[in-house]
Amino acid sequence: DYKVTGVQTCALPILLSQWNPYYTFWLLKRGRAEMRIEDATHRVAAGQWIIVPPNLFRRHALSENTELLSLSFQWTWPLGDPVLAMRSPVIGRANHAAKLCTQVRRVVRYFEAPWPANQKLVVAQWLGFQRDCHEFLLTMSQVVTDRGLDRKSTRLNSSHLVISYAV
């Protein structure tokens, strides 16, 4: 099941504290972000991305000129456990995971175009959206796994996953 709420581009300074049940992917196009997650501070600059695991208390601040691409999504096994057993964020440079950044842009493009008045996608758009979401999630799991996550926790069987998206 896929659920989407919109696209987030930020041009104002934001200071926000929250507990978040979603994975969060940010690609910083401009500016800086500082994210305090549990007891650690993570800094991300233009040209970098961060993947934050779900179920962590976080506080973040963005510089005034920050522009970012943000994708938040829930990705769980049928009993509700997160698919990736991440305990801390993963940060990288956009040029080191170009495929990941390209795929997140493909997912977000579905929400940048005007939606029909009834907000329903035609079948071809829906199937393209599903394909692009699955490709993004598979690539993300590969990137996280390559950075040391337990490989057993990243095995995917898309017929047994619950995936919802909030952009």
Side-chain angles (χ1 to χ4, degrees):
D1 187 22
Y2 298 88
K3 297 176 185 161
V4 179
T5 60
V7 174
Q8 175 183 354
T9 300
C10 184
L12 299 172
I14 291 179
L15 185 62
L16 180 66
S17 294
Q18 64 183 5
W19 177 85
N20 195 328
Y22 302 106
Y23 290 92
T24 300
F25 177 91
W26 281 0
L27 172 61
L28 268 72
K29 297 177 180 181
R30 195 173 57 194
R32 295 177 320 278
E34 184 174 287
M35 195 173 284
R36 180 115 175 121
I37 301 169
E38 302 294 322
D39 295 326
T41 300
H42 307 275
R43 292 177 181 83
V44 186
Q48 290 184 303
W49 51 263
I50 184 170
I51 300 169
V52 182
N55 304 327
L56 298 176
F57 184 80
R58 59 184 87 167
R59 179 181 176 96
H60 64 265
L62 306 176
S63 64
E64 276 189 47
N65 67 337
T66 297
E67 183 179 345
L68 60 88
L69 180 83
S70 175
L71 181 63
S72 293
F73 52 95
Q74 186 176 16
W75 191 21
T76 61
W77 296 110
L79 295 178
D81 294 330
V83 171
L84 298 176
M86 297 172 65
R87 290 182 178 80
S88 62
V90 176
I91 299 173
R93 296 215 41 88
N95 58 351
H96 293 148
K99 184 177 177 183
L100 179 65
C101 294
T102 297
Q103 288 176 335
V104 77
R105 286 184 185 106
R106 285 184 184 156
V107 170
V108 170
R109 76 174 181 214
Y110 290 95
F111 311 104
E112 293 176 332
W115 285 57
N118 61 8
Q119 295 195 359
K120 291 185 178 178
L121 295 172
V122 296
V123 173
Q125 287 174 306
W126 176 249
L127 293 173
F129 173 69
Q130 284 188 319
R131 179 199 64 231
D132 290 342
C133 288
H134 278 85
E135 287 177 9
F136 164 72
L137 293 171
L138 288 170
T139 301
M140 186 186 90
S141 68
Q142 290 167 349
V143 167
V144 171
T145 300
D146 290 346
R147 293 174 184 269
L149 183 69
D150 174 17
R151 292 183 185 272
K152 287 194 297 187
S153 65
T154 62
R155 290 192 186 133
L156 302 178
N157 180 341
S158 61
S159 65
H160 293 94
L161 292 177
V162 176
I163 305 170
S164 61
Y165 301 88
V167 183

